[in-house]
């Protein structure tokens, strides 16, 4: 055996990263780290989705309605003509208005 | 509820909302949605609802990730029995916000507008339709006229026609039962500022059992059974208030069927979730129904009535009508964009000419939703007499009735755990 047998020589594994490779791998790691943040963000954005969707639904109902003013509702007008008289009339006051009570007295 | 409650009168249902202690994990999520701090219990311990402080809005119920809060009142069986009884006319009073949410439990996309399908399904179940939008239009007539009266009294010293007292400005809307109870339990000094107009549900009940029974349903008032179908848990409390037997009092004074036992204006209240359960129990698939018409006089409604379910909707509807009544000229553009949207407090100035007095008037209005976050500065201002506003709309729930405590629970809110749990092996 010669003194210079390469199989007995110690050599570090030749691992080297080019500058480009380093940036690419770093980018992938950061992207993976950022995923949960993206999920949380999209969950937060969708939080109010149902409120906005339902709001839109009602405004669409208004926009497509044939009559859009309360005092032009013929059924309401008929109710006043045949029965209640007019807004704030004695009949209206009795059936359509109310009083409130102070509930704080009971608490103190 | 066996605990003694103080802020309820005889006959009222105390504590619509309770927490199931077996389900509660003590995560404190509900506390972040409670407008009155009615939920007690340390972090990690099971929570309880203090019925005296609770205004029954149900925000904890729709936002609990574990589904622990529940309603203590469930009238589904009772309504089903009345529907089966052919001698009763069961009137379904459908709130605006129900038509954009009732599709969800039947697999339709969130926010689908299903008025026609809903009418059809409810008629199949045996309801006679009274669209609460009709009553919303009626509310605008009463509340709007009241506001004009208050404004003219404050500005020009006008007296009431029948010699009654006229309340102060600003006028608060009174459609939201949670807000009304919030004022009664927290700021009773503001009671004169609340509009005296009933909420649309109670107007509908009173009209259905007087004019409706005689002219539209052709039935005795005792045999008319009114069911409010609401996006709201607080409406169950509202219907139980003892003063809401006005139809009975009215009929008694008129001498018709005087001897009958007192009956409430609204006999039962179903939430949107309750209605979905009732329809499923009767094996009616709302999503598969064809569009139908309401079919009665009371099913006639306007666009102003339907936007009541959105925050800012009551104000917008009231402004549309008040403008025409005050100025005598129609509006060029019906949409008031300033009161739309999800900002906490929205305000707008409307300048118009009062034709009766020939003077220009600037009406300052404000719209508040999500009481928990936004109401305190507004009411403190009014209490101190510094409020710049004349007319203030308040709705308890964020976004208005469409996000009420009785609406179908959405996975997009914080109630997401139910959907996630089954995907774990141990559950």
């Amino acid at each position: 055996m010669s003194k210079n047998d390469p199989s007995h020589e110690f050599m570090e594994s030749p691992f080297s990263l080019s500058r480009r490779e380093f940036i690419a791998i770093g980018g992938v790691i950061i992207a993976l780290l950022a995923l949960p943040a993206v999920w949380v963000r999209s969950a937060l954005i969708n939080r109010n989705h149902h409120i906005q969707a339902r709001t839109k639904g009602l405004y669409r109902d208004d926009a497509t309605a044939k009559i859009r003013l309360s005092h032009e509702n013929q059924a309401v007008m008929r109710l006043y003509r045949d029965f209640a008289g007019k807004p704030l009339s004695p009949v209206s006051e009795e059936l359509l208005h109310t009083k409130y009570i102070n509930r704080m007295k009971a608490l103190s | 509820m066996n605990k003694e409650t103080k802020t309820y009168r005889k006959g009222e249902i105390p504590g619509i909302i309770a927490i199931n202690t077996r389900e509660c994990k003590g995560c404190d999520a509900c506390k972040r949605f409670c407008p009155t701090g009615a939920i007690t219990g340390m972090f990690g311990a099971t929570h309880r609802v203090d019925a005296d402080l609770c205004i029954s809005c149900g925000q904890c119920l729709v936002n609990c990730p574990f589904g622990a809060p529940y309603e203590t009142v469930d009238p589904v069986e009772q309504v089903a029995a009345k529907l089966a009884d052919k001698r009763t006319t069961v009137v379904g009073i459908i709130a605006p916000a129900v038509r954009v949410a009732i599709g969800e439990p039947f697999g339709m996309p969130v926010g689908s507008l299903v008025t026609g399908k809903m009418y059809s399904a409810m008629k199949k179940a045996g309801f006679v339709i009274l669209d609460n939008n009709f009553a919303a239009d009626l509310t605008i007539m009463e509340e709007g006229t009241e506001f004009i009266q208050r404004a003219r009294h404050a500005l020009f010293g006008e007296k009431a026609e029948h010699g009654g007292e006229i309340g102060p400005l600003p006028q608060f809307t009174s459609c939201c039962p949670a807000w009304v109870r919030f004022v009664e339990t927290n700021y009773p000094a503001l009671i004169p500022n609340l509009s005296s107009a009933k909420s649309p549900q109670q107007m509908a009940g009173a009209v259905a059992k007087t004019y409706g029974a005689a002219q539209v349903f052709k039935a005795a008032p005792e045999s008319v059974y009114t069911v409010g179908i609401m996006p709201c848990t607080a409406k169950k409390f509202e219907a139980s208030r003892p003063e809401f037997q006005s139809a009975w009092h009215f009929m008694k004074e008129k001498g018709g069927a005087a001897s009958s036992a007192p009956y409430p204006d609204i006999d039962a209240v179903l939430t949107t979730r309750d209605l979905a359960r009732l329809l499923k129990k009767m094996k009616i698939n709302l999503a598969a129904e064809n569009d139908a018409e309401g079919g009665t006089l009371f099913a006639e409604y306007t666009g102003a009535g339907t936007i009541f379910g959105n925050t800012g909707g009551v104000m917008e509807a009231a402004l549309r009508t008040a403008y025409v009544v005050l100025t005598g000229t129609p509006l060029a553009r019906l949409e008031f964009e300033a009161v739309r949207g999800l900002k906490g407090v929205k305000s707008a100035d409307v300048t118009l000419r009062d034709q009766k007095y020939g003077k220009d008037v600037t009406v300052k209005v404000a719209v508040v939703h999500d009481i928990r976050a936004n109401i305190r500065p507004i009411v403190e201002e009014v209490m101190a007499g510094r409020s710049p506003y004349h007319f203030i709309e308040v709705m308890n729930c964020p976004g208005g009735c469409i996000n009420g405590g009785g609406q179908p629970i959405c996975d997009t809110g914080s109630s997401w755990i139910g959907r996630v749990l089954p995907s774990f092996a141990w559950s």
Side-chain angles (χ1 to χ4, degrees), chain B residues 78-102:
Chain B
Q78 197 187 329
V79 173
K82 287 285 175 184
L83 284 169
D85 180 5
K86 290 294 159 225
R87 284 165 303 167
T88 25
T89 310
V90 183
V91 182
I93 299 167
I94 315 156
V98 175
R99 70 207 64 216
V100 287
I102 188 67

Side-chain angles (χ1 to χ4, degrees), chain A residues 14-28:
Chain A
F15 176 78
S16 75
L17 275 180
S18 71
R19 181 186 149 81
R20 278 167 181 275
E21 282 164 342
F22 176 77
I23 290 173
I25 291 171
V28 168

Side-chain angles (χ1 to χ4, degrees), chain B residues 32-33 35 59 311 344 368-376 394-400:
Chain B
R32 276 182 280 126
F33 291 92
Q59 278 301 303
T311 168
V368 186
H369 68 133
D370 193 359
I371 281 186
R372 187 191 61 83
N374 303 319
I375 198 65
R376 305 268 169 194
V394 185
M395 291 186 189
N396 174 72
C397 297

Side-chain angles (χ1 to χ4, degrees), chain B residues 14 29 87 96-97 112 120 125-126 156 191 194 201 229 259-260 285 292 336 407:
Chain B
R87 284 165 303 167
S112 315
S120 168
F156 309 118
I191 287 176
L194 275 177
Q201 169 181 267
I229 294 159
S259 60
S260 80
N285 181 5
F336 284 88
Q407 292 285 62

